Every structure is written in C-alpha cells, then in structure tokens.
C-alpha cells in the first residue's frame, strides 16, 4: 500500500463523510407523538377536529360543569352532595375566592382555539384534495366559532386569538365584544357555507350546515341582546332559524312526535338532534374506564348521575333510618349523586304547572321508583320480579311490581297514604306536607337514563345531546318577540312545540285533540317570561339555563322571584368570573381585568 | 517488573503530584546521555548490574528490570540491586510501582545505577484534558486524576462506589442498597434546577452512552475528572456538569504479561433496624391504648390471642434476621498485555458475580475487552478498542423487607410442623391477609425479576503524521446497549396475595440505544526558540444518539411455570401507558484549542467550541463556548530558587462557559396531546374511531441551553522536596438560562412553556494534600492522601421573579434539595398542658415552632428546615508499606447535610409508613413519650389514629457521618519463593469494605443503620398543608434492605 495515498484518501474520505449529511443530522423527527406541523396532513387536520370534539367530553356531562351552568337559576337548587355550593347560593365572598371553578372551561376552550388556529393555519397549506380540505376547514371554523361563542357568552370580553401561537407571551388582554362577535359570525357563516347538509352516513351527529346555522342564529340572538347589538341581529336570528325549519327535510331534521322519545336510549342521532358530544361503549375511543370500576375517567358521560336523588337512602321506616332499603341502587335507577335538584315550587307551580295537557313534566322527571329488594353496596340488584322486597308499614313490597317511592305533586290525605304500600313524598313548599321532598329525595331527571350499563355506578355510554331541533323554534320565537318578526310568528313557533307536547301515553284521540287545543297560545300570551318558561318545559336540565337567563338579562329578577336559596344573586353574576389564574399569569403588560363585581 | 496492583499509588491527589526534584531528573537525563555517548557499539551479551534508587538515593526494592522487546527480565533485590545478562545494545526497562518507568540503553556499559523518579511527583506525567493530553506541569484547568489501580482497591461492581471519597469536588452518595447499584454523582454540586446534573462520561475519547455499571475498573488505566468551566468548555454543550474521562488499558511495548486478579468475599448486613421486640411491642400497644385520643384506653389493634399466647411463651421473632443471608461477591479478571515496537495489544476477560444479603438476588457480569495499536509506518498509526459487557441479574429490586419490618414480633414464622406460617396475622382484622414475608425466599417459579443487559463500545482510529509537527487523527466510535427485563409475580406470595394465576402479573420490557461519535482532529506541536511551546488542536466532531423502548404488562397466565415466556397465553396484555420511548439527537461540534507556554513558566490555554444541536430549534441550533486559562509556575522563577522548603509552586486561573445538554429532543417543536373520539356508533377506524390531537406545548424556537460560566483559581504546591504536595482550588460558578416551566396565561392556548429563565450560583473550595509521612531506610513507608471540599449552591433566580416556588421546592438563596416544613421543637410536656391546649393538642404531642405567633400551626409556619447539601465532604487515605506488606485505609465523611428518614413518619394515607399507625404493626423502636417518660424525642403513640399529625417533622435528621470505606492488607510473595514457576509476582490481600461507621448521629441515636441514603423521595406530606416538604428528587433513607459489609480475600498474579 502506498501510505501517502492512504493517508490522503483517509483524510479526504473522512472529511467528506463528516461534512455530508451534517445538516440532516440536526433535523428532528419525533416518533412517539406529534408536533403541531402534523396539522398539515389530512390525518392531522381530522385529528385536530376530533381532538377538539373530544375535549368537550371533559366539560359537558361532567360533575363540576353540570353544576356550574345549572346552579343559581330559577330551575334548580342545591342537592345534598353539591360541590360548588357558592354558585347555588351566590355566596359572593366565597365566589370571589373560587374563580378557579371556571378555569377548566376557560382553559380547554382556549387550547381548542389554539389547536383550531393551528389546523386552519397549517391546514390551509396542506397538500390534500380541495373538497376534503374545505370540509375539514369548515369543521375547524365551526368549532372555533363554537369555542368563542361559549367563551363570550360565559365570560363576556375575552382575548381574541386567530393565529396559531408560536410565541407564547405573559401579556394578554380582552378584545372588544364587537370584534369577538364578528369573528364568531364570520366563522359560523363560512362554516355554514361549506359544511354538508347532513352528516356522512353512520358518523353520528357532528356539526353540519344546520348546526352552524343554529349556532349562528343563536349568536345573532345573543348579540341582539348585547351592548354591541346591531339593528338587524334579531331579524337575522329569526330568518336563519326559520330557514332551518323551512329546509328541515334538506337537513334531515324533524321534531320527533312524542316528547319522551327524544331522550330515549338509542335516539341520540335522531332527526330531532342537531349535534352530539359523542360517546360509545368502546373503552379506547369512548375514553371510558373499565365498567364496574367506578366511573373514574374525566371524559366519561356522567350526566346520568347529577340530578339523581338518593332513592337508595330511603328506609322502610322513613323518616327513620333503621329499616330496610326499599329501593336498592341498580343500573336502571342509576347512581344517585344528588348534586342538583329541581326547584320543586318553580317546576310544579310555574314551568310545569300544566301537567294535564302537557306531557313534558312526565317526560322530564322521574317520580316513581319500583321496589327492587336490593341493597347497595352488597352487590348488584338481581332480585327477580315478583319476589318480596322491603316491608313498609307492615305491607310487603313486591319487587318490580310495587311502587316503593312516589314523589307526589301535591299533599296527600292520610287515607291515600294508608292505602299506598310504599312511601309517598310531598312537595316541601306546600303547607301540610308531612313527608317532604328534601335535598336528598326529589324528582329526578330522566333525560339521561342509561339502563344498559353493567354496574349501577357506571358512567353512561350514550352520546350527549348538545343541540336539538326544538330549540330552533325557541330561538326563532325569542328573535320574533324582540323585533325580528311579529309576536304572532313567535306564537306560531312556540305552538309547534306545545302541540307536540300534547301527545301523551295511553291517550284517546279525543283527549289528544282536546289537549292540542288547550296547548295553543296566542300572540298576546308571548312574553319573554313565557318564552323562558317554555324553554324550561322543553330544555330542562339540558345545561343551558344560566346562559338563557344571562342572555335575556332575567337572571336576577327570576332567581330572586323563584329561588329562595339564591337571593344573593347580583347583576354581575350574568357573567362568570375570569379565573384568577388567568389574571395572575398575565405578568407583562396591563393587568388582566376581572369581570365587574368579582375582584 | 512487579505487578501493577501491588502498590497503591495515591488516589485523589495524583493530579496534584508535583513532587519531583527537578534538578535530579535533569541530572539523570544528562548522565544517561553521557553514558550513551561514551559507550561503544556493543557486540554479544554482557552482564549488567547496578542499583536502583529513588531520588533520595534510597534503594527501591523489587524493581523490575527487563530488556525492551524481549521476555528477559529480573527483579531487583530488597537493596535495589540487580544483575542481568543482556545483549550489549539492549535497552533496559526499569519500572516499579510509584515510580516512572525509565529506559536505559546499555551501550556496552556493565554498570547502570539507575535513579527512578517518583511518579507521585511526576511533572512529566501526562494527564488527560479532553481531546488530548497535557503535561501535568502545563495544566491550567482544574482536573483530578485517579489511577485504575486505586479504583480497584474497592471491590465494588462500579466506578461510582470506587471513586467515593477519592477526589476533591466529586461528591458521590449512595441512593440504593440494591446490589450492583451505583449512586448519585455530583461534580461541584448541582447547577440545573430541573435538568440533569450528571457529569458527561467519556471513554477513550468518545462520549459514552452506556451505564457506568458496564465498565470494569480492572480495565481502566486512568480516570480523570475535569471540574471547572475552563477545562470543560472543550465539551461545549455537554460539559457543564463536569466530565469524567476514562482511559482504558492499552498494550505496551514489552513482552507479553499475563495478569490475573481474583477475589472472593462474603457480605453481611452491617446491622438490622432496631425494631420493637416481643415484649417492647406489647408495651407499645398498651401505651398506644393509653394515648388513644379517640376512645381512651382502647386499642383496636390490641394483641390478638395468638400474640398473647406467644408473648407468654417468650416468642419474639426477628423477621429481618430471617430474611437476611450472606451474600457472595467474587471477581476474576484475566488480562494479557504486550507488544513490540509496531504493535501493542491488550486483551482482558472478566467475570463478576454478586449475590445479595437478601436470598435469591444475584448479579453476574461478563466482560471482554480488546485494545490494539499498530504502526503501519513511521507516519501512520491505527488502533482498535472494543469493550463488551453482559449483565444478568435476577430479583434485584425484589424483597420483602417492608413487610418483614412491619409484621409483629409476636407471630411465629413457622408452624410447629416446620412449614411456613402462611398468614401469621390471621386474627388481626386489617392485616389478616398479610402473607408471611418468608414466601419471598425461593419460589423461583413465582418470583422472577430478571434483567439482561448487553453493552458494547467499539472505537477505531487512524493517526497520520503529516509533518513532524502536524498530526491528523480520525476516530470513530460506536456503542450499543440493550436491556431486557422480564418480570413475573405469581400468586400466594408476599408480593402477590391473590390466590389464583388469574391474578398473576407480569411485564416485559425492552430498551435499546446506540450512539456513534466521529471526530477528526489536526494537532500541531512545536517548540520555537527552545522556550516557546505551542500546541494547537483543531477538531470536528459529530455525535448521534438513539434510544427506544417498549413495555408490555400482562395479567393472568394459566400456570406459574409459563411465567412470561408465552405472551399468547396471557389473559390480558396491555401496553404500559406512556412506556414507549424513542428519541434521537445529534450534535456537531467544531473546536479549536491553543496551549502555549513560555519557558515552562507562563502557561496559557485558550479554547473555543461551537456546537450545533438537533434538539435546538431551526435557526437557533448553534452555540459557541469560549474558555481561557492561565498558569504560572512560580517555582521556576529565579527569585524562588533559594526558597528551600518550597519545591513546587504554581498558580492557575481559568474562566470558561459550557452548558448542560438538558433539553430533551423534540422539545422545541411543540407537541400535541392525544385523545380519542368516536363519530357515531360504527367501529370503522378513521371514519368512526378517530385519534384526536390538541395543542399540548407550543413550538418554542427560542429555547436554548442552560449555560454555566465559571471562574477557577488554584494553587499547586510542593514542600520539603515534594514530600508534601497538594493543591487548593477556589471556584465560583454561575448558571443562567436554566430551563424552567413557565406557566402562561391560559388564554395563550397552552398552559406552560419551557423557558430559559432561572439562575443558580455555586462556589466552593477544594483542598488536596499528599504527604510521605515516613519513608525509613528499613523499608517502612507511610503516605497520606487527604481531600476535603465544600460546595455552596443556591438558586438565585426563578421564573416570574418568584422568591420561592413551594410546589417545586425551589427557594431563592437555597440549594435545590431544600426541605420546607414546620419545625419540631420538642414534645409537649405534662407541665405545658395549658399551652398545648392553645394549639388544640395535649402533652405527648409534637411541639412545633409557631413562627407567626398566631397560636395555631399552619402553612405560614413552614420554614426551611434543612437541605441535603453537606457543609463539607472529606476523604482520607492512608498507605502503609513495610517490606512485603502494604496496608491501605480509606475514610470518607460528609458533614452537615439533613437526611430524611422516611420511616419516622406516617400520614395515615398514601405514604403508608408504619410509624405508630394505630400501633397496628411493628416499627422502629423509638424513644416515645409517655407520662412517665417525658422525652422530647418522639410523641406519644396513639391507637386512635392512622398517622399522628406533623410526623413529617420527625424525619429530618442530621445525616453527617464518617465511615471507613475500606481496609486493605496485602502481602507480596517474595520473588525468591516463586523461583522458576513462571510467575513473576503474586500479591495476596484481605480487604474489608464498609467495615465501620465511625461516627454518625443517626446511627448513634439508633434511628437508622446508615445515614447515606438508599432511595429517593417517598417522604410523607406535611400536616401543615401545602405541597410535599421534601421533593421526590431528594435522596432519602428508607427502611429498606440494609447496606452490607464485605470481607474479601484476593490475589493478583502476574506471569
């Protein structure tokens, strides 16, 4: 070997090896997860959208969320096991130190917005078929509009970010309300232009054109009520709502004929439903914990827990506590979390005062529990029908046949009580009531029942119904009343729902006809309070009451009128507080302002 | 030549060996030259004799005299005299441990009296300085060097155990008593708050990706530690935590030498925890009933009938004793080294086995190493290094010690028929299902915790002398490691109380990593006009690392013997969440260094390195690190020549910047959080089932390294002809741009971002001294190496200008190991009942300092109650030699740190320590308060509560200690005994490791066995509220397997 050539070839060989590919060496390719640039791919955009939908699972139908947005209204009172009690009572001093209650909602919506900004920004340049891209980006716009809609309607002015954040900063400030509404309207308008009329077959109920229009109408309605109202807002809200109704066939929408079936298990994707937050039995994609392990997952649908009374606490010697359990906890009756209870006086005397011709009281509330002989926690109740259950007042209850607990809507006579095998409860507000509704035992909500679960303590695998077609009529009615159309138009819209509500179980045609007639209202009857009460009848417990009262500026008036537990309510409660962490973490630039009244 | 391990060179202070009389050395060289000049060209063999002496003219006994390039050799007698027949043109190689090997050309001369220079004071000795070597005399940075032989004195499986107490500024603390475990190493303390504080390990010039467990000390020639920023700046982005450079043994230009070193030893627990015995336990329960705060004078966990019977029968079971056994440690290393002018080689095979003091624990390590250097021509040299290890271990982390220390002493371990008493506590409600800890012994089908690890590192180099002064070198190193874990826990043992194989659990994991480094360098060495020495190095380096891992868990197999062998038979298999690991990173570096010296008096080293790193963001990938250091050999100055007692004096100063590669790959890219969603009830993946993503962290293009800049000032000195030598160093280090998670306003759409915002500072001093206390003509020598150092580290800045971040345990002005809690000031005594009542407590409860005088104890009363930073650390090694005997004693001490003895607390909840705990279980015997024993040490037991309040305050103890690390007594078998056996040297020795803890408050007070630590975290929270007072990163003392004491017999043989 020629050493001279060896050493030169070695030298140059090494140098060439070392200098080529150096640049490439410094590039990074993660493989365990994703960088935001993944949003430049079809899977990434689709995943970003799925990720945002999935994030809603952590809010709607979870424990704190459900209490935060239903508490402190005319409709509901504190349950025995309520968590955020200061919001039920408007204990303003506790509220001031508990603004962190809203941190989760604030946080997740802003993360969603940043995600969607990433999807929109990177996705615009993505090399994917134009049609697919349009659809996906329309979803992203809808979702961004959705997130800002909930931020603005909850907190008022919030920061407005429409570009993907690559230089996080400790400075931030709220944007003008007009700009925020303008963005929501722009996003939802563009989304409604591009989204399909109906979802692809078999994909449940994600947002479609009609969903975007629905939220757009509602946004106009909100802005119409707001300090930045535009003259055409209510007209827009009415026109868009009516457009949805007029084209309901195109959008695959229709009211279901019988109120009770709307929330029947298996009807979550019905023509009545505009959008769901989806859930499924599958543990992985449903993000569910193993059945029977206590529903510990933060993304599970637990709507079936919170409005449920403590039926399993009632002993045969009630109000004694030594007797046998008359109704054991079982999958059919569900897990009694007792976080919220309906305001009995309001529902029985105001919203659902007409229980004769209106089916919606029975369709909304569970007032009857059958004996099942079971006794939690000794295992699941498997007592067959016909066996003996607990003995109440010397009478043996027959399981799955006899009513063990009955929540009456009036005071009963001693004779009635004596003739009844089980235990009867009477509305607590009524004079003469002996065995009263309590914060443990109250009419429960049946809209979220899920009987197909394995364990009584399990979450529900039902999709959570977020928006439904009936509300379009109520939006239209409210918009009409506010000048978007005539009060007759408003009455017409409401009468559609009231007509549907006339249909009852085991009703003769004659009875039905009479009921329909009784249900009709005239233009003169349409007032804002009437619409709000109609909303109660139709949408009770569907997680929108506080927003409805806030939008219509009726919160203080109606809460003071109907809710004896929440007399501390004040005007500033029409906005929720900015989470203290947001204020604390803005450490540069101007201090981030708290909403008035909270400090 | 004597075998190299027979004499122990100084350890920690070898870097400071400036003990030579320079005049002598020069005279020696001149005489050699003269001798050479006058010798005629030799013909045939001649007999050469002479005397070998040291620089004080004392004879060097048993020095080795060999003929270079042949197998001929003799050993000098005890008077240093030798006689040898050699070719008249031969070159003699004279060597002896502790002295510089010297070559003398015979040149026909029949007498050669040779003076060997002590290498304990060898200024010509070269030290490794990173990408090269330098004469010790020229070094300007702060380095410390330890010989392989010194490390080998401690018979431990890894270098960390061997290095403990040997090097100033290098603080090594045990954090486990598991066999084969290493410890935590910190060079000049902690700098990073959230990142890694471990030093960079470099083996034979290549950054090392493996574990220190993979390197056998028998294979190490030298270990050098670069401590200050001026020395580590050459490693740029990896150097901030210090650099440990390991040089493996290379071949020699000599006849083949075969060495064998082997030892076998036994290990025993140094002690067991002093728990309550049977009677004391019964008393404890009775006292707990007295102290019952809920239902006075009752005890839900009073003695059961079984216990009462056993108490009467005098039963007092020592469960610890039943679990402990005698461990065995043995090591065998066989090496062959040799070569000629052109080729030098070194081969080594090794085997190490250790069994634990807990039954069935074992660790085996097999190693194999090759080193070959070959000159292709006068100008070209190539070489190859390979070292390979396989580790196999079983049940290392598996022991029933926790159960054993809790189980009452009044239960019998065995039934009367000799079988194991399966559920000894069967009458005691909560603990009735407790399975006998003795089920942890044997049961091989039921208990498996197997690990196998392979590691290899292969380096190749080629070196070309382009000009006489200019050398080009290219080196490529490739390393790979793989770790396979296979674990199975069957039913019906203390580890798995289930009764069927349906509940047996298993997991299997695999991890592998590889790394390559390529560097090319040009080195220019020239002396101008005799006085100007210049060494310039230009280097380019590329390094790439890759790592991946997976783990799968299983539940239920059909039969125990199936274990985890057939995953197909497992009932439920799941991928461990977040178990998948993958990362790749690369680094490209360009470096230049110039070392200049004038007249050997004035020294200057200047370095600049530029690193490009894949983990930094586009456009921000490159960082430059400068460093400069200067030295002044004052002893060379004329005015110093008459200062007789001072034989060496050098002043050094250096400044530099380096950083800590603490940014994880992909951090700057941002990341998406993953979730899942279903669109509809179909199951089509992609249509119905969709993976979802939301923003987790934003891209962070501005993220950069944590940078450490440091100033170092050092003095090296030699006194009394270098019989005393040493050095003193002062350093001051500032680290900025520390990576901290900064919480952001949530409206940013991302919760937090990793930013370069924190700052820390540390300063300290290091003292090293070596002295030859006695060197008598009779052959008795006593030498001492001592080192001591202190380091003061503190956080100087946090995110958002915070003064403290209690959640993370960060406090400005304090070290990162700070403990923040309320402070115990005693126990409320009977006479103080009224005062105690103010706080809602009673006599016998813990008395706490009410900082804000609010008459209640809460979060506001928390304060800094200690930290793990020692006031100072010291090591002391004494060497004694007399004729053929040698004795070494290594002492090690740490002073002033607070340790957390976790078992002195219970929170009645998750942390679940046995401390008091309703008096339900046995525990450490502490001096607890009773009305008749008004101690201030521990509170009154209370059968009414799970965990007493504020017990966290009981765990903070003085962790100071002085330990003897090892005593090593050796005997060199005289050459005359070996005769013509072919064996040239044998050293036999007995050694003990960890023989005594000389002083430790924790041990003195019977509160523990060893204050050094055996784990991290695991402390309980504070009743005062707020986050944990002790961070999970802190080293703590738990009631785990005790540390062990080792007795070893070994031999070193040379053929």
């Amino acid at each position: 070997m020629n050493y001279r050539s060896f050493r030169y070839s070695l030298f140059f060989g090494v140098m060439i090896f070392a200098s080529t590919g150096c640049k490439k060496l410094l590039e990074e390719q993660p493989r365990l997860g994703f960088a935001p640039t993944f949003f430049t791919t079809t899977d990434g955009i689709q995943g970003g959208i799925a990720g945002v939908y999935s994030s809603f699972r952590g809010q709607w139908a979870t424990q704190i969320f459900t209490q935060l947005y239903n508490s402190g209204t005319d409709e509901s009172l504190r349950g025995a096991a309520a968590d955020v009690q200061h919001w039920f009572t408007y204990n303003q001093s506790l509220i001031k130190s508990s603004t962190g209650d809203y941190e989760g909602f604030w946080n997740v919506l802003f993360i969603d917005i940043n995600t969607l900004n990433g999807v929109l920004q990177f996705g615009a340049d993505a090399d994917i078929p134009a049609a697919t891209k349009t659809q996906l980006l329309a979803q992203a716009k809808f979702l961004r509009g959705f997130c800002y809609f909930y931020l603005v309607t909850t907190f008022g002015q919030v920061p407005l970010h429409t570009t993907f954040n690559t230089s996080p900063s400790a400075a931030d400030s709220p944007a003008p309300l007009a700009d925020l509404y303008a963005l929501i309207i722009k996003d939802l308008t563009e989304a409604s232009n591009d989204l399909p009329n109906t979802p692809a077959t078999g994909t449940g109920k994600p947002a479609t054109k009609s969903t975007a229009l629905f939220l757009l109408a509602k946004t106009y309605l909100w802005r119409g009520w707001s300090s930045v109202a535009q003259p055409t807002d209510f007209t827009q809200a009415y026109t868009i709502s009516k457009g949805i109704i007029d084209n309901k066939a195109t959008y695959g929408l229709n009211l279901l004929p019988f109120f009770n079936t709307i929330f029947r298990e298996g009807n979550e994707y019905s023509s009545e439903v505009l959008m769901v937050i989806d859930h499924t039995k599958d543990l992985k994609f449903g993000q569910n914990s193993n059945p029977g392990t206590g529903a510990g997952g933060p993304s599970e649908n637990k709507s079936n827990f919170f409005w449920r009374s403590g039926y399993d606490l009632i002993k045969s010697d009630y109000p004694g506590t030594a007797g046998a359990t008359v109704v054991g906890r079982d999958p059919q009756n569900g897990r009694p979390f007792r976080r919220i209870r309906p305001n009995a006086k309001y529902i029985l005397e105001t919203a659902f005062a007409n229980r004769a011709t209106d089916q919606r009281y029975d369709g909304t509330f569970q007032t009857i529990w059958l004996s099942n002989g079971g006794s939690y926690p000794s295992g699941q109740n498997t007592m067959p029908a016909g066996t003996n259950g607990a003995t109440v007042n010397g009478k043996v209850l027959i399981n799955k046949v006899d009513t063990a607990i009955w929540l009456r809507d009036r005071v009963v006579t001693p004779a009635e009580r004596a003739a009844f095998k089980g235990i009867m409860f009477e509305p607590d507000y009524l004079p003469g009531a002996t065995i009263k509704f309590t914060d443990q035992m109250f009419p429960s909500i049946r809209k979220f029942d899920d009987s197909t679960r394995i364990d009584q303590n399990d979450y529900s695998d039902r999709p959570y119904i977020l928006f439904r077609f009936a509300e379009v009529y109520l939006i239209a009615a409210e918009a009409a009343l506010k000048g978007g159309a005539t009060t007759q138009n408003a009455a017409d819209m409401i009468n559609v729902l009231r007509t549907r509500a006339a249909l009852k179980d085991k009703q003769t045609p004659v009875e039905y006809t009479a009921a329909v007639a009784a249900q009709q209202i005239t233009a003169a009857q349409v007032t804002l309070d009437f619409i709000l009460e109609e909303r109660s009848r139709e949408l009770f417990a569907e997680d929108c009451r506080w927003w409805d009262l806030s939008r219509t500026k009726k919160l203080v008036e109606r809460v003071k009128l109907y809710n004896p537990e929440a007399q501390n309510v004040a005007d500033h409660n029409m906005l929720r507080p900015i989470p203290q962490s947001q204020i604390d973490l803005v450490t540069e630039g101007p201090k981030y302002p708290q909403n008035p009244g909270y400090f | 030549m004597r075998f190299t391990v027979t004499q122990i060179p100084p350890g920690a202070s070898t870097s400071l060996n400036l003990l030579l009389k320079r005049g002598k050395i020069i005279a020696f060289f001149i005489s050699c030259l003269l001798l050479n000049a006058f010798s005629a060209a030799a013909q045939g063999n001649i007999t050469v004799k002479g005397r070998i002496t040291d620089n004080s003219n004392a004879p060097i006994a048993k020095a080795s005299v060999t003929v270079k390039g042949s197998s001929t050799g003799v050993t000098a007698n005890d008077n240093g005299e030798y006689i040898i027949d050699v070719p008249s043109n031969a070159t003699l190689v004279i060597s002896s441990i502790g002295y510089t090997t010297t070559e003398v050309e015979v040149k026909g001369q029949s007498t050669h009296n040779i003076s060997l220079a002590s290498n304990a004071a060898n200024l010509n000795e070269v030290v490794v300085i990173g990408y090269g070597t330098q004469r010790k005399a020229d070094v300007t940075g702060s380095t410390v060097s330890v010989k392989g032989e010194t490390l080998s004195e401690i018979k431990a499986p890894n270098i960390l155990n061997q290095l403990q107490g040997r090097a100033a500024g290098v603080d090594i603390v045990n954090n486990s008593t598991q066999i084969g475990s290493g410890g935590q190493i910190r060079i000049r303390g902690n700098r990073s708050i959230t990142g890694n504080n471990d030093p960079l390990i470099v083996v034979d010039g290549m950054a090392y990706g493996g574990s220190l467990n993979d390197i056998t000390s028998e294979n190490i020639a030298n270990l050098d530690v670069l401590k200050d920023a001026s020395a580590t700046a050459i490693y740029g982005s990896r150097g901030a935590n210090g650099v440990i450079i390991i040089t493996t043994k290379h071949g020699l230009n000599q006849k083949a030498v075969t060495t064998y070193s082997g030892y076998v030893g036994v290990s025993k627990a140094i002690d067991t925890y002093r728990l309550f015995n049977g009677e004391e336990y019964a008393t404890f329960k009775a006292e707990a009933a007295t102290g019952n705060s809920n239902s006075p004078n009752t005890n839900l966990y009073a003695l059961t009938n079984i216990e009462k019977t056993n108490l009467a029968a005098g039963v007092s079971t020592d469960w610890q004793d039943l679990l402990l056994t005698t461990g065995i440690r043995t090591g065998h290393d066989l090496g062959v080294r040799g070569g000629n002018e052109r080729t030098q080689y070194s081969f080594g095979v090794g085997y190490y086995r250790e069994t634990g003091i807990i039954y069935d624990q074992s660790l085996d390590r097999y190693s194999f190493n090759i080193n070959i250097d070959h000159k292709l021509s006068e100008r070209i040299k190539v070489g190859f290094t390979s070292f390979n290890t396989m580790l196999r271990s079983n049940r290392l982390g598996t022991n029933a010690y926790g159960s054993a220390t809790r189980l009452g002493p009044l239960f019998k371990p065995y039934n009367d028929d000799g079988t194991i008493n399966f559920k000894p506590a069967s009458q005691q409600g909560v603990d009735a299902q407790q399975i006998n800890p003795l089920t942890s012994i044997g049961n091989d089908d039921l208990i498996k915790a197997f690990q196998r690890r392979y590691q290899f590192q292969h380096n190749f180099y080629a070196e070309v002398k382009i000009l006489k002064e200019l050398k080009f070198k290219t080196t490529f190193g490739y390393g790979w490691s793989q770790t396979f874990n296979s674990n199975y826990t069957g039913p019906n043992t203390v580890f798995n109380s289930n009764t069927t194989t349906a509940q047996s659990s298993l997991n299997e994991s695999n991890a592998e990593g590889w790394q390559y480094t390529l560097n090319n360098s040009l080195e220019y060495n020239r002396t101008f006009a005799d006085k100007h020495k210049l060494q310039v190095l230009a280097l380019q380096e590329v390094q790439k690392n890759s790592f991946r891992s997976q783990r799968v868990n299983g539940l239920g197999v059909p039969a125990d013997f199936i274990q985890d062998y057939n995953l197909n038979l497992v009932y439920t298999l799941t991928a461990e969440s977040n178990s998948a690991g993958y990362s790749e990173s690369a680094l490209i570096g360009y470096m230049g260094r110039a070392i200049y010296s004038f007249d050997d008096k004035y020294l200057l080293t200047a370095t600049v390195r530029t690193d490009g790193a894949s983990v930094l963001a586009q456009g921000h990938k490159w960082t430059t690190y400068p460093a400069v250091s200067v030295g002044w050999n004052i002893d060379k100055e004329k005015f110093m020549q008459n200062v007789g007692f001072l034989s060496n004096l050098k002043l050094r100063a250096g400044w530099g910047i380096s950083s800590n590669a603490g940014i994880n790959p992909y951090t700057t890219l941002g990341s998406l959080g993953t979730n899942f969603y279903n669109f509809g009830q179909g199951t089509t993946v992609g249509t119905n089932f969709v993976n979802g993503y939301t923003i987790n962290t934003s891209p962070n293009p501005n993220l950069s390294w944590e940078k450490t800049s440091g100033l170092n000032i050092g003095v090296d000195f030699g006194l009394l002809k270098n019989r005393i030598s040493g050095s003193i160093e002062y350093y001051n280090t500032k680290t900025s741009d520390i990576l901290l998670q900064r919480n952001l306003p949530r409206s940013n759409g991302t919760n937090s971002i990793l930013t370069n915002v924190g700052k820390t500072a540390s300063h300290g001093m290091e003292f090293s001294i070596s002295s030859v206390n006695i060197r008598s003509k009779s052959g008795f020598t006593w030498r001492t190496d001592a080192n001591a150092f202190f380091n003061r580290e503190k956080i100087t800045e946090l995110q958002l200008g915070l003064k403290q971040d209690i959640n993370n345990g960060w406090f400005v002005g304090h070290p990162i190991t700070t403990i923040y809690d309320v402070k115990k000031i005693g126990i409320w005594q009977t006479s103080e009942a009224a005062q105690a009542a103010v706080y809602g407590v009673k006599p016998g409860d813990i008395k706490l300092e009410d900082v804000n005088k609010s008459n209640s104890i809460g979060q506001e009363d928390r304060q800094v109650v200690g930290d793990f930073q020692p006031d100072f650390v010291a090591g002391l090694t004494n060497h004694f030699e007399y004729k053929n005997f040698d004795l070494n004693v290594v002492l090690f001490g740490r002073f002033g740190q607070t340790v957390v003895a976790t078992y002195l607390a219970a929170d009645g909840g998750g942390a679940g320590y046995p401390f008091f705990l309703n008096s339900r279980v046995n525990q450490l015997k502490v001096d607890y308060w009773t009305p008749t024993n008004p101690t201030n040490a521990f509170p009154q037991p209370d059968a009414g509560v799970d965990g007493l309040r504020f017990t966290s305050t009981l765990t903070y103890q003085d962790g100071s200690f002085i330990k003897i690390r090892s005593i090593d007594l050796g005997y060199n078998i005289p050459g005359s005994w070996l005769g013509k056996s072919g064996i040239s040297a044998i050293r036999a020795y007995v050694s003990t490791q960890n023989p005594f803890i000389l002083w430790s408050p924790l041990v003195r007070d019977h509160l523990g066995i060893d204050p050094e630590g055996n784990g991290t975290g695991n402390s309980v929270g504070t009743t005062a509220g707020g986050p944990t007072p002790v961070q999970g990163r802190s080293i703590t003392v738990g009631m785990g397997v005790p540390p062990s004491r080792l007795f070893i017999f070994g031999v070193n043989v040379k053929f």
Side-chain angles (χ1 to χ4, degrees), chain A residues 435-454:
Chain A
I435 297 181
K436 301 175 180 177
F437 295 1
T438 66
D439 56 5
Q440 300 275 16
M441 200 62 223
F442 46 80
S444 301
I445 302 298
R446 45 196 303 196
K447 288 180 171 175
F448 312 113
D449 285 1
D450 189 339
S451 64
T452 61
R453 301 163 313 134
I454 292 169

Side-chain angles (χ1 to χ4, degrees), chain B residues 975-984:
Chain B
S976 54
W977 297 10
L978 298 170
K980 296 199 183 304
S981 61
I983 298 172
S984 59

Side-chain angles (χ1 to χ4, degrees), chain A residues 3 7 14 18 25-28 31 34 46-47 54 57 107 115 161 165 169 172 202 269 278-279 287 582, chain B residues 376 464 520 540 542 582 614 618 621 666 672 676-678 680-681 686 688 692-693 695 746-748 751:
Chain A
Y3 289 136
R7 70 180 193 237
V14 164
L25 271 175
L26 298 186
E27 305 289 325
E28 290 195 290
R31 295 187 191 281
F34 303 92
Q46 202 178 359
S54 176
R57 284 176 173 169
N107 201 359
T115 300
H161 297 295
N165 189 351
S169 141
D172 216 342
Y269 305 142
D278 227 328
H279 289 271
Q287 294 178 293
Q582 168 72 19
Chain B
L376 284 173
V464 184
N520 300 299
Q540 177 247 11
V542 176
Y582 170 85
S614 63
Q618 289 295 355
K621 289 189 183 290
Y666 320 119
L672 302 181
F676 301 93
Y677 197 62
N678 63 291
Q681 299 300 307
N688 304 111
Y693 315 102
I695 293 297
R746 306 310 201 216
S747 56
N748 266 278
N751 291 351

Side-chain angles (χ1 to χ4, degrees), chain B residues 728-744:
Chain B
I728 300 171
E729 311 244 7
Y730 167 80
Y731 60 88
N732 194 331
T733 300
K734 289 191 164 56
T735 301
S736 57
D737 291 347
I738 287 180
L739 297 165
L740 290 179
Q741 285 290 347
R742 177 167 186 182
N743 284 320
L744 294 170

Side-chain angles (χ1 to χ4, degrees), chain A residues 349 410-411 426-434 436:
Chain A
E349 294 195 338
R410 60 179 173 82
V411 175
E426 298 148 319
D428 48 333
Y429 65 89
L430 287 177
T434 52
K436 301 175 180 177

